[in-house]
Amino acid sequence: MENRKIYFDNASTTYVGNEALREMMPVFSNIYGNPSSLHSFGRDAVNLVDIARDRIAKAIGAKASEIYFTSGGTEANNLAIKGLAYANRHKGNHIITSCIEHSSVLEACRQLEKDGFIVTYLKVDSHGLINFADLLHHINSNTILISIMTANNEIGTIQHMQAIAETAKEREIIFHTDAVQAVGSISYNVNAMGIDAMSISSHKIYGPKGVGCLYVRDGVKIQSVIAGGKQERGVRGGTQNVPAIVGFGKAIEVAVRDMSVNNKKIKTIKEYFVKRLTESISDVYINGHPAQRLQGIVSVSFDCVNAEAVLTMLDMQGIAVSVGSACESGTIEPSHVLKEIGLDDVLAKGTIRFSFGKSNTKEEIDYLIETLIPIIEKLRNISPLRKKKRKED
Amino acid sequence: MYSDKIMQIFANPKNVGTLKGADATGEATNEFGEVVKIFINAEDGIITDAKFKAYGSVVAIASGSTVTTLIKGKFLDDAINVSNEMILESLGGVIDKEKIPSLKIAREALLLALKNYKDKFGEI
């Protein structure tokens, strides 16, 4: 039992699925040409990259010419925010995003602010949804870009994509969405959904790390944000990571093919977890929207305990979870997302993200709950806040 | 990552709890919002019992355990000399720099408890 290891951190990253792995492995040693080379080695590599590009395009209802490979979600978001902003600067300098975006979007926006752009960070309600009227209120004639994540990586809330996209389209504003956490759980058709640009990462959908892409609708202007060669039609210099791109292409194909089966499985696991958790432990709060959400992410606030202490105790029993999100460890500041949905400091610092994947089982949930009950009890016994709260009650 | 020593202490902290009608108590908080509360009883200038409660991270809980272990059986005026370095030493000698406030609050709670004792009983 001591050596048991269970992974409930699938929103941080996933293992590489068999089908993706099988396709990418031979590429490392056999198809090693540089896709930019003119000889047969290069052509072989470019063929593989093209196949992957087709698969990704097909998975989201885009054209292959609209897919630009990057090193992952962070780079895709940087390219989207900065590349779209600079390429369209002649039309205006105002950008609208939300305050619960991934740090790669928020930090890219902050960089742009230093360069004369004006950025509006829309607030969210306690479920993590932006207010549509608020969005309309902030749009002005200088607005060139709206960037709103499809689903939040910490609390799982899914935004009203259609309404945002339509609003942007009517006003000829570019609409970008960070879909890193949502791809594989939500089906996309960029045309039907009116999405002009979209960031995707491979390692959240059982593909390899170090690769992702940005979809940009043909006709939407974007410029490169790193100096380099003419790869990816001049939008992203640097030799393509061919084996990873091959794995990514297969991974997204598999993710879309198996989406309904996986979603069903994950929903069952998640509902079982929530039921057992709320039955077994008092004073727990589930964050995010109750219905409009990714099934795989459950953000739970445990009153009067510190999340790092909970995580460490779970880790000692072989169970992997996250505090807030993997990108924001440390104990000084609770995650910006949890603050923005209005959690008080103690609850925000007592928040654990459980994220489920296609291989988790109900039996693993049982083990998690049985492990979690004594941990929370132990930490609450140690906590001086617990007693005070009880007295106040 | 933490040393094995910290992990051991954190997993099985000693002296957790309160002392009913304790001779003195001290409660400290830090910038992380962590709280450590220390309870002491003393007789003839010697600390006969010490307990703690902690809300916080691994280091805060391990430090609460360590401080109370270090002061038990000590003269009150020796307990004042329990330093952050001594606590760190007992925790295995190394922690990340950003975790230091979590270690320091245990000592601050101790100093407040000793001050509380002095305020109540005069000299220590």
mmCIF file of all heavy atoms in Angstrom, chain A residues 9 99 103 110 129 144 157 161 169 212 219 248 273 281 291 384:
data_model
loop_
_atom_site.group_PDB
_atom_site.id
_atom_site.type_symbol
_atom_site.label_atom_id
_atom_site.label_comp_id
_atom_site.label_asym_id
_atom_site.label_seq_id
_atom_site.Cartn_x
_atom_site.Cartn_y
_atom_site.Cartn_z
ATOM 1 N N ASP A 9 -3.769 14.973 -10.896
ATOM 2 C CA ASP A 9 -3.273 16.291 -11.290
ATOM 3 C C ASP A 9 -3.228 16.402 -12.812
ATOM 4 O O ASP A 9 -2.292 16.971 -13.387
ATOM 5 C CB ASP A 9 -1.886 16.516 -10.667
ATOM 6 C CG ASP A 9 -1.520 17.980 -10.601
ATOM 7 O OD1 ASP A 9 -2.410 18.833 -10.802
ATOM 8 O OD2 ASP A 9 -0.336 18.281 -10.361
ATOM 9 N N CYS A 99 -9.621 38.813 -15.665
ATOM 10 C CA CYS A 99 -8.642 38.794 -14.582
ATOM 11 C C CYS A 99 -8.307 37.369 -14.133
ATOM 12 O O CYS A 99 -7.459 37.190 -13.267
ATOM 13 C CB CYS A 99 -9.160 39.615 -13.410
ATOM 14 S SG CYS A 99 -10.731 38.988 -12.835
ATOM 15 N N SER A 103 -1.420 33.017 -16.454
ATOM 16 C CA SER A 103 -0.395 34.062 -16.317
ATOM 17 C C SER A 103 0.285 34.394 -17.648
ATOM 18 O O SER A 103 0.762 35.513 -17.824
ATOM 19 C CB SER A 103 0.633 33.681 -15.253
ATOM 20 O OG SER A 103 1.072 32.364 -15.459
ATOM 21 N N ARG A 110 0.439 42.685 -19.639
ATOM 22 C CA ARG A 110 1.171 43.697 -18.852
ATOM 23 C C ARG A 110 2.365 44.230 -19.627
ATOM 24 O O ARG A 110 2.682 45.416 -19.547
ATOM 25 C CB ARG A 110 1.593 43.112 -17.504
ATOM 26 C CG ARG A 110 0.397 43.067 -16.569
ATOM 27 C CD ARG A 110 0.684 42.539 -15.186
ATOM 28 N NE ARG A 110 -0.607 42.183 -14.600
ATOM 29 C CZ ARG A 110 -0.915 41.003 -14.088
ATOM 30 N NH1 ARG A 110 -0.008 40.050 -14.025
ATOM 31 N NH2 ARG A 110 -2.114 40.777 -13.605
ATOM 32 N N LEU A 129 -17.453 33.515 -13.894
ATOM 33 C CA LEU A 129 -17.936 33.950 -15.217
ATOM 34 C C LEU A 129 -17.755 35.453 -15.391
ATOM 35 O O LEU A 129 -18.002 36.222 -14.461
ATOM 36 C CB LEU A 129 -19.423 33.626 -15.382
ATOM 37 C CG LEU A 129 -19.798 32.177 -15.659
ATOM 38 C CD1 LEU A 129 -21.324 32.028 -15.675
ATOM 39 C CD2 LEU A 129 -19.218 31.690 -16.984
ATOM 40 N N ILE A 144 -9.113 46.248 -30.220
ATOM 41 C CA ILE A 144 -8.690 45.422 -31.364
ATOM 42 C C ILE A 144 -8.709 43.932 -31.040
ATOM 43 O O ILE A 144 -8.710 43.101 -31.931
ATOM 44 C CB ILE A 144 -7.263 45.803 -31.842
ATOM 45 C CG1 ILE A 144 -6.270 45.815 -30.666
ATOM 46 C CG2 ILE A 144 -7.285 47.140 -32.565
ATOM 47 C CD1 ILE A 144 -4.819 45.925 -31.095
ATOM 48 N N THR A 157 -14.458 26.610 -14.708
ATOM 49 C CA THR A 157 -15.614 27.330 -15.259
ATOM 50 C C THR A 157 -15.452 27.607 -16.756
ATOM 51 O O THR A 157 -14.397 28.049 -17.193
ATOM 52 C CB THR A 157 -15.810 28.668 -14.505
ATOM 53 O OG1 THR A 157 -16.047 28.372 -13.134
ATOM 54 C CG2 THR A 157 -16.961 29.477 -15.083
ATOM 55 N N MET A 161 -18.912 31.287 -24.554
ATOM 56 C CA MET A 161 -18.071 31.532 -25.727
ATOM 57 C C MET A 161 -18.829 32.160 -26.888
ATOM 58 O O MET A 161 -18.359 33.098 -27.522
ATOM 59 C CB MET A 161 -17.458 30.203 -26.193
ATOM 60 C CG MET A 161 -16.495 29.609 -25.213
ATOM 61 S SD MET A 161 -15.041 30.629 -25.090
ATOM 62 C CE MET A 161 -14.274 30.239 -26.646
ATOM 63 N N LYS A 169 -17.288 39.600 -33.272
ATOM 64 C CA LYS A 169 -17.450 39.547 -34.728
ATOM 65 C C LYS A 169 -18.244 40.752 -35.239
ATOM 66 O O LYS A 169 -17.842 41.404 -36.213
ATOM 67 C CB LYS A 169 -18.174 38.251 -35.097
ATOM 68 C CG LYS A 169 -18.042 37.886 -36.560
ATOM 69 C CD LYS A 169 -18.653 36.531 -36.836
ATOM 70 C CE LYS A 169 -18.486 36.182 -38.312
ATOM 71 N NZ LYS A 169 -19.155 34.918 -38.622
ATOM 72 N N GLY A 212 2.823 22.876 -28.840
ATOM 73 C CA GLY A 212 1.458 23.362 -28.829
ATOM 74 C C GLY A 212 1.242 24.088 -30.143
ATOM 75 O O GLY A 212 2.086 23.996 -31.049
ATOM 76 N N GLY A 219 -6.478 35.504 -42.921
ATOM 77 C CA GLY A 219 -6.938 36.878 -43.111
ATOM 78 C C GLY A 219 -6.743 37.741 -41.874
ATOM 79 O O GLY A 219 -6.714 38.963 -41.968
ATOM 80 N N PHE A 248 1.716 15.233 -30.887
ATOM 81 C CA PHE A 248 0.628 16.193 -30.654
ATOM 82 C C PHE A 248 -0.523 15.945 -31.630
ATOM 83 O O PHE A 248 -1.694 15.870 -31.241
ATOM 84 C CB PHE A 248 1.210 17.615 -30.802
ATOM 85 C CG PHE A 248 0.239 18.751 -30.682
ATOM 86 C CD1 PHE A 248 -0.959 18.639 -29.996
ATOM 87 C CD2 PHE A 248 0.558 19.994 -31.258
ATOM 88 C CE1 PHE A 248 -1.834 19.721 -29.891
ATOM 89 C CE2 PHE A 248 -0.301 21.075 -31.151
ATOM 90 C CZ PHE A 248 -1.502 20.930 -30.480
ATOM 91 N N PHE A 273 -16.641 11.462 -6.679
ATOM 92 C CA PHE A 273 -15.716 12.152 -5.767
ATOM 93 C C PHE A 273 -16.434 13.226 -4.958
ATOM 94 O O PHE A 273 -16.324 13.279 -3.730
ATOM 95 C CB PHE A 273 -14.563 12.779 -6.571
ATOM 96 C CG PHE A 273 -13.738 13.764 -5.780
ATOM 97 C CD1 PHE A 273 -12.923 13.346 -4.744
ATOM 98 C CD2 PHE A 273 -13.781 15.127 -6.080
ATOM 99 C CE1 PHE A 273 -12.170 14.253 -4.009
ATOM 100 C CE2 PHE A 273 -13.029 16.044 -5.350
ATOM 101 C CZ PHE A 273 -12.230 15.595 -4.311
ATOM 102 N N ILE A 281 -16.573 14.831 4.675
ATOM 103 C CA ILE A 281 -15.811 15.903 5.318
ATOM 104 C C ILE A 281 -16.672 17.158 5.404
ATOM 105 O O ILE A 281 -17.282 17.574 4.408
ATOM 106 C CB ILE A 281 -14.497 16.186 4.542
ATOM 107 C CG1 ILE A 281 -13.650 14.907 4.455
ATOM 108 C CG2 ILE A 281 -13.694 17.308 5.204
ATOM 109 C CD1 ILE A 281 -12.401 15.037 3.624
ATOM 110 N N ALA A 291 -22.641 24.119 -13.003
ATOM 111 C CA ALA A 291 -23.007 23.322 -14.183
ATOM 112 C C ALA A 291 -22.109 23.592 -15.380
ATOM 113 O O ALA A 291 -21.665 22.673 -16.066
ATOM 114 C CB ALA A 291 -24.458 23.616 -14.552
ATOM 115 N N PRO A 384 -5.402 26.280 15.087
ATOM 116 C CA PRO A 384 -6.048 27.092 16.116
ATOM 117 C C PRO A 384 -7.298 27.810 15.574
ATOM 118 O O PRO A 384 -8.145 28.238 16.344
ATOM 119 C CB PRO A 384 -4.978 28.108 16.498
ATOM 120 C CG PRO A 384 -4.099 28.214 15.300
ATOM 121 C CD PRO A 384 -4.152 26.885 14.613
#
